[in-house]
Amino acid sequence: METKRLTPHNVEEAAKIIADGGLLGIPTETVYGLGANGLDPQAVKAIFEAKGRPQDNPLILHVPDESWLERYCEDIPAVAYELTARFWPGPLTMILKRRDNVPDAVSAGLDTVGMRCPDCAVTREIIAKADVPVAAPSGNASGRPSPTTAEAMLEDMEGKILGIVDGGSCTVGVESTIIDLTVEPSRLLRPGGVTLEELEEVLGEVAVDDAVRRLLAPGEQPKAPGMKYRHYAPKAPVTVVRGDPNMTAGYIVARMGEKSGVLCFDEFQGYFRGHSVVTMGPVNDQAQQAREIFEALRAFDRLEVTDVWAQSPDDEGIGLAVTNRLNKAAGFHIIEL
Ligand code: AMP
Ligand code: MG
């Protein structure tokens, strides 16, 4: 199949791909998504096949505004609308009780569904025009870092999807924050562009799922099914070193091998001369680190490195989302200084 390059001017054609049951690459503010008609089990099945994604890992439904929640969810708590008022359109997915019209293929058989309204006008127009919710995971092959440009998505999906809408680089760069509103207190399942601190302002107490900060033990049941899978990883093994950046840079220099790669803050490049160095933004700009982290991880697959050492931001604000992706890429192989 030939993958057609579309632009934000091709809303009609893009919506037709979705309405006809095809696969479409969609831009969003978080990462590029692999979209299909979320009411069509066959179309949803094709998403899992194109990604090589395990079937027990549910998908998020994307809608153009909060008025669509009623169509696919029930027992919607009032706080859901407080959250949409503040954060939609934006990088927040809410887990809610689903209606029967949501196919099992989307929810992986759970009685809940993830709902999100992306902050990307062209994608909302495509969804509204197709008049169906768009089920979409991130547009990478399963296990690979998520794509934040159309080119990155084509590395994994060329020939597997009917079209991709090029909306430029993603402005957030990490996947949406996922908050489960079906439990008391509400539970953060995945950190993202809407921060834990912001959620607490609306919800009060928020539980942080264990899988956000550590590796689940074998046999341990994750709350979000996707959390048990290795994720975001370059081919070479990654070691994360946490602590004061001057200390972590020194630690890495003292231990790295001849062919080791380094993922570091912009200011620390000079420490690692002669090595394959990839930067992830200035030490104090966590929003920039979020935008760069996945491309940085992808870059190591184009370099000949035996292993990767990474400096780490701290967990404040969107830093929690960056460290979560980095730690997952490292299989939670973390050294604390
Ligand atoms: P991605 O599609 O790559 O952004 O991943 C979607 C994430 O949302 C996965 O980690 C899923 O496990 C999670 N997710 C989607 N639907 C649900 C749900 N109903 N309950 C819990 N987690 C969900
Ligand atoms: Mg993903």
Side-chain angles (χ1 to χ4, degrees):
M1 142 190 348
E2 205 196 314
T3 302
K4 204 157 183 192
R5 270 69 165 174
L6 301 173
T7 76
H9 298 293
N10 304 125
V11 167
E12 200 107 357
E13 193 173 350
K16 189 165 173 347
I17 290 177
I18 295 289
D20 291 348
L23 297 181
L24 179 73
I26 50 170
T28 80
E29 79 282 29
T30 58
V31 302
Y32 273 72
L34 176 55
N37 178 353
L39 300 180
D40 176 348
Q42 281 309 109
V44 171
K45 200 163 153 255
I47 294 178
F48 286 90
E49 282 162 5
K51 258 186 91 87
R53 184 179 178 114
Q55 299 278 349
D56 64 346
N57 193 358
L59 304 176
I60 292 167
L61 284 185
H62 295 72
V63 294
D65 63 63
E66 69 279 2
S67 74
W68 284 40
L69 285 177
E70 288 281 340
R71 299 192 194 183
Y72 310 110
C73 305
E74 56 193 22
D75 301 338
I76 303 170
V79 288
Y81 291 104
E82 286 177 46
L83 291 173
T84 61
R86 175 145 173 206
F87 300 115
W88 276 19
L92 180 67
T93 296
M94 303 187 297
I95 305 296
L96 295 164
K97 196 155 182 296
R98 71 169 167 119
R99 286 189 187 277
D100 290 340
N101 56 357
V102 177
D104 277 340
V106 169
S107 63
L110 301 173
D111 59 2
T112 55
V113 62
M115 301 295 296
R116 170 163 132 75
C117 174
D119 188 9
C120 178
V122 60
T123 291
R124 290 199 307 276
E125 284 166 29
I126 292 166
I127 300 168
K129 185 102 206 162
D131 201 27
V132 290
V134 168
S138 51
N140 52 291
S142 197
R144 295 255 296 148
S146 302
T148 53
T149 62
E151 301 86 78
M153 180 160 173
L154 284 166
E155 276 176 23
D156 291 11
M157 292 297 155
E158 177 89 66
K160 295 183 176 170
I161 57 179
L162 280 177
I164 182 166
V165 180
D166 191 340
S169 294
C170 300
T171 54
V172 175
V174 290
E175 305 87 341
S176 60
T177 302
I178 304 182
I179 184 84
D180 186 348
L181 298 180
T182 68
V183 291
E184 189 58 49
S186 305
R187 179 177 286 263
L188 180 73
L189 299 183
R190 177 171 74 185
V194 171
T195 65
L196 174 61
E197 294 85 344
E198 288 173 317
L199 289 173
E200 285 167 341
E201 286 170 26
V202 177
L203 298 169
E205 187 189 356
V206 175
V208 177
D209 200 89
D210 277 347
V212 171
R213 293 200 172 104
R214 66 176 177 83
L215 193 61
L216 295 179
E220 204 175 344
Q221 261 308 328
K223 291 288 180 321
M227 298 191 298
K228 69 177 176 239
Y229 298 106
R230 181 167 180 266
H231 230 131
Y232 312 130
K235 285 164 195 136
V238 180
T239 302
V240 173
V241 187
R242 287 175 65 95
D244 175 86
N246 290 297
M247 305 267 294
T248 58
Y251 183 94
I252 292 169
V253 166
R255 282 163 188 79
M256 66 193 305
E258 206 185 316
K259 294 216 143 191
S260 297
V262 184
L263 177 58
C264 69
F265 300 117
D266 292 357
E267 296 87 337
F268 290 86
Q269 278 188 78
Y271 276 67
F272 309 108
R273 285 219 181 82
H275 288 273
S276 294
V277 180
V278 179
T279 56
M280 58 174 157
V283 69
N284 288 322
D285 189 347
Q286 290 175 329
Q288 186 63 22
Q289 293 157 24
R291 282 190 286 273
E292 293 193 21
I293 187 72
F294 284 133
E295 269 308 298
L297 289 169
R298 277 177 178 265
F300 287 109
D301 285 345
R302 297 186 285 265
L303 300 166
E304 295 222 337
V305 295
T306 48
D307 55 344
V308 176
W309 293 83
Q311 290 188 293
S312 175
D314 64 35
D315 292 339
E316 301 278 300
I318 196 172
L320 184 63
V322 180
T323 57
N324 170 260
R325 304 314 189 271
L326 195 52
N327 293 344
K328 283 188 148 194
F332 286 85
H333 186 226
I334 304 166
I335 293 164
E336 299 267 0
L337 298 187

